[in-house]
Amino acid sequence: MRPYCHLLAPLLLAGTLFAPADAQGAAAPRPVRITVDTARTEGKLPRIWRFFGADEPNYATMKDGTKLIAELGKLKRGDIYFRAHNLLNTGDGTAAFKWGSTDIYNETPDGKPIYNWTNVDRIIDTYRAAGIHPYLQIGFMPEAMSSAPAGTPYRHDWRPGFDYKRIMSGWAYPPKDYDKWRELVFQWTRHNVERYGRAEVERWYFEIWNEANGWYWKASHDEFYKMHDYAVDGIRRALPTARVGGPDAAGAGGAFMDGFLKHVTSGRNYATGQVGTPTDFLAFHAKGRPTFVDGHVRMGIAQQLKEANDGFTKTLSIPALATKPVVIGESDPEGCAACPGPANAYRNGTMYSSYTAASFARMWELAARRKVNLDGALTWAFEFEDQPWFAGYRQLSSNGVDLPVLNVFRLFAQLGDDRLAATSDAQLPLDTVMSEGVRGAADVGTIATRTADGKVAVLVWHYHDDDVPGASAAVTLAFGGLKGRPARATLWRVDGDNANAFTAWKKMGSPIAPDDAQYLQLEKASMMQPQPLVLTGGKGGTATTTLDVPRQGIALVVIDAK
């Protein structure tokens, strides 16, 4: 099985390898026509983008982490979720690559439990202060409870460049005592209800562990189902209305997911003795697979879509679960946020942002085709505290300065919930992208929506798998079905020259330690700036505008229209 957090390459110097080509080639712009029928609604556009997560829970309480958490909360106040590994790990709370700890559980010499909520409260308090809700992962195993063989290290010593197998240590084993495991989860859930209120905790997602079919579980599948049952029983004993699910499998999950779905619907519950296990949502992971070809990054969007499609097939396979909400609990271009290297040199610039726009668009389309109740696609990216500027990790900000990809989520947040009929004559069919990726003509696509306040918001992306220069798209955007002449149009851009701190940093000479003035310049460069856009009104409720969208660029057009 391919591990989702496979090591791709050792860290290389920032500003050398990690400088994707944003410059445009000499080719003439490619004419593209996009039409939007503002009078025709084609269903809802669920906010699947509103989930984020990271291996390192303690970063959320540090200076840049707290700043980024606040920015995520602003995307849609009260509707953003955050998932983190390592919340139950034993340790002093020191953050490190793919590690975190809260010291939530210890035992007295005679085996009595000692619960410590201080660190987990600090983390969740940080979420809640920003209006973010936990997608609460119950994991991993506290040291005092771990059944790891004697002599097994508890905390791993992995770092970028090491064999990834070194990450698996004592935290990845089942509990020695399942009753103590259930009681820990019960006590923590009860504490959360007391601290944050029943109504708040009812909004949370509770899932158990992570990728137990991959690198994160050192026991059998059946042993995982048992551990899962005991944890769910502890949650539901403290809060009978809690939203529980999982199992956040690596990929579609294979035989592990088949066994899990069978167990939670018709198997004997290890904790209660009854048939089945409460399951309010299903979760699996889908990742792409970039490569380094002829001196440039080539993304693997087709791989991610295929894995999503396979995961949907699994979730639809049991009729009793087929209508349950589905969360792609990690949905990313590749598998290891802390692993820089040549194939991952897309992360700082517009390759990551354009990929995000194009891949989310296809996730929406694929879920609609498969009739899957897709509730979320979680971006497994956050930040890495006190690391070199633009070091090449998969993150949303660098040293507290937003990367272009974060602005894509700000554009998503401006989309409405009602999807309007829209077509682009340069948008590749879903089947083509799933089978071949975007390797020939670039993909210039669109999503059009109506917002709650009556505006029309149209997203346009210009994506290609290959991170090389290419012609821009000369887009003619034609609106129909308007009632009256639109009063105003606003354009928002994310590309090589707009809302791009990485470009600004390179123009500064890639300073290792930007000074105060340079830091402010980078913050300013990272921000999207609204631009007025001229609309030409036609007859019969029509209007037209034009815009240039660079390769790997994204644009959002918002018009006041009825």
Side-chain angles (χ1 to χ4, degrees):
M1 175 181 294
R2 175 176 65 92
Y4 271 119
C5 294
H6 60 296
L7 183 63
L8 292 174
L11 177 64
L12 298 180
L13 291 177
T16 53
L17 171 66
F18 299 106
D22 288 328
Q24 298 306 301
R30 176 189 180 188
V32 174
R33 185 172 181 83
I34 293 175
T35 60
V36 179
D37 185 349
T38 65
R40 184 175 151 205
T41 302
E42 293 191 332
K44 296 294 183 180
L45 189 74
R47 299 172 188 166
I48 64 173
W49 51 266
R50 69 194 191 279
F51 295 80
F52 302 88
D55 290 76
E56 302 85 3
N58 307 98
Y59 284 158
T61 64
M62 300 175 76
K63 62 181 187 310
D64 294 335
T66 302
K67 181 180 180 182
L68 181 53
I69 283 287
E71 291 302 312
L72 294 179
K74 293 175 186 176
L75 293 173
K76 280 288 182 184
R77 186 76 180 182
D79 200 24
I80 305 298
Y81 287 83
F82 200 90
R83 176 177 184 248
H85 296 338
N86 302 306
L87 285 171
L88 300 184
N89 287 26
T90 302
D92 62 4
T94 300
F97 287 117
K98 304 190 75 63
W99 178 256
S101 59
T102 63
D103 216 37
I104 196 171
Y105 180 87
N106 285 282
E107 291 183 356
T108 64
D110 59 352
K112 293 181 180 179
I114 302 172
Y115 302 115
N116 174 16
W117 315 122
T118 303
N119 292 310
V120 288
D121 284 352
R122 184 179 297 117
I123 292 166
I124 296 176
D125 286 354
T126 302
Y127 301 162
R128 294 302 306 130
I132 292 174
H133 311 289
Y135 182 113
L136 200 66
Q137 182 185 122
I138 309 299
F140 296 114
M141 194 57 59
E143 186 171 17
M145 204 178 284
S146 173
S147 63
T152 302
Y154 182 73
R155 176 173 172 171
H156 68 73
D157 63 355
W158 181 89
R159 66 185 69 194
F162 283 11
D163 186 332
Y164 194 77
K165 292 180 181 179
R166 293 177 66 159
I167 203 170
M168 304 311 148
S169 46
W171 55 266
Y173 286 80
K176 290 184 292 189
D177 186 318
Y178 277 93
D179 287 328
K180 287 184 176 180
W181 167 248
R182 172 170 51 189
E183 187 66 15
L184 166 61
V185 179
F186 165 75
Q187 293 290 346
W188 189 24
T189 305
R190 185 172 69 173
H191 169 77
N192 286 330
V193 171
E194 292 172 350
R195 185 175 183 85
Y196 303 106
R198 182 188 183 99
E200 167 59 25
V201 180
E202 285 177 331
R203 297 189 62 171
W204 299 5
Y205 295 74
F206 289 84
E207 58 95 6
I208 318 303
W209 222 256
N210 176 70
E211 295 186 357
N213 60 320
W215 293 89
Y216 287 77
W217 182 246
K218 301 292 286 185
S220 68
H221 294 173
D222 284 337
E223 196 79 11
F224 171 81
Y225 306 151
K226 180 178 180 180
M227 186 270 293
H228 174 89
D229 285 351
Y230 272 80
V232 169
D233 190 53
I235 295 166
R236 281 293 185 89
R237 185 155 59 95
L239 182 61
T241 52
R243 177 164 47 185
V244 295
D248 271 277
F256 167 82
M257 182 64 99
D258 292 335
F260 176 83
L261 297 175
K262 181 178 179 180
H263 176 75
V264 300
T265 51
S266 59
R268 183 68 60 183
N269 188 295
Y270 286 100
T272 67
Q274 299 175 352
V275 174
T277 307
T279 305
D280 299 311
F281 67 96
L282 297 170
F284 64 90
H285 299 170
K287 306 282 187 173
R289 188 179 296 171
T291 56
F292 198 67
V293 180
D294 298 329
H296 70 270
V297 175
R298 173 174 287 173
M299 303 300 286
I301 192 172
Q303 177 68 28
Q304 185 176 356
L305 294 173
K306 289 173 185 175
E307 293 195 346
N309 191 48
D310 290 345
F312 291 159
T313 297
K314 292 287 189 185
T315 63
L316 294 169
S317 64
I318 304 293
L321 300 174
T323 60
K324 296 286 186 180
V326 172
V327 178
I328 304 177
E330 294 179 24
S331 178
D332 302 295
E334 37 71 35
C336 180
C339 301
N344 289 342
Y346 67 87
R347 293 167 162 178
N348 291 316
T350 58
M351 196 75 202
Y352 191 7
S353 49
S354 61
Y355 180 99
T356 298
S359 61
F360 269 83
R362 272 33 187 255
M363 291 293 182
W364 271 306
E365 188 176 358
L366 181 59
R369 172 189 286 185
R370 299 298 309 275
K371 295 181 171 56
V372 169
N373 183 10
L374 184 59
D375 197 32
L378 190 149
T379 296
W380 196 253
F382 186 51
E383 64 100 24
F384 291 86
E385 199 84 15
D386 295 327
Q387 294 300 311
W389 282 88
F390 306 103
Y393 302 113
R394 193 177 70 232
Q395 56 190 1
L396 303 176
S397 69
S398 178
N399 286 279
V401 173
D402 299 341
L403 296 178
V405 65
L406 182 54
N407 284 318
V408 177
F409 294 101
R410 293 185 173 112
L411 296 182
F412 286 163
Q414 293 192 59
L415 295 174
D417 294 333
D418 294 318
R419 187 163 187 163
L420 301 176
T423 60
S424 167
D425 62 10
Q427 181 167 331
L428 297 181
L430 173 61
D431 289 334
T432 299
V433 180
M434 285 185 63
S435 62
E436 304 171 12
V438 184
R439 304 293 169 84
D443 176 48
V444 186
T446 191
I447 291 174
T449 65
R450 187 178 299 283
T451 65
D453 58 359
K455 296 178 181 177
V456 173
V458 182
L459 185 73
V460 179
W461 64 88
H462 185 180
Y463 172 74
H464 198 283
D465 277 348
D466 289 302
D467 194 12
V468 297
S472 63
V475 176
T476 298
L477 183 55
F479 297 92
L482 299 172
K483 296 179 181 178
R485 184 183 180 91
R488 183 179 58 182
T490 303
L491 173 65
W492 304 84
R493 291 184 178 275
V494 181
D495 53 46
D497 297 321
N498 294 277
N500 193 327
F502 185 49
T503 297
W505 179 72
K506 288 187 291 182
K507 289 180 179 178
M508 289 177 179
S510 305
I512 294 175
D515 60 26
D516 293 359
Q518 289 173 320
Y519 191 95
L520 292 176
Q521 291 175 39
L522 291 172
E523 282 192 311
K524 183 177 181 180
S526 74
M527 299 175 185
M528 293 189 297
Q529 301 296 333
Q531 304 171 25
L533 192 63
V534 176
L535 288 170
T536 302
K539 296 181 180 180
T542 64
T544 303
T545 190
T546 59
L547 60 150
D548 184 86
V549 183
R551 183 169 165 127
Q552 311 303 13
I554 309 159
L556 182 75
V557 176
V558 180
I559 66 171
D560 293 326
K562 299 297 183 181

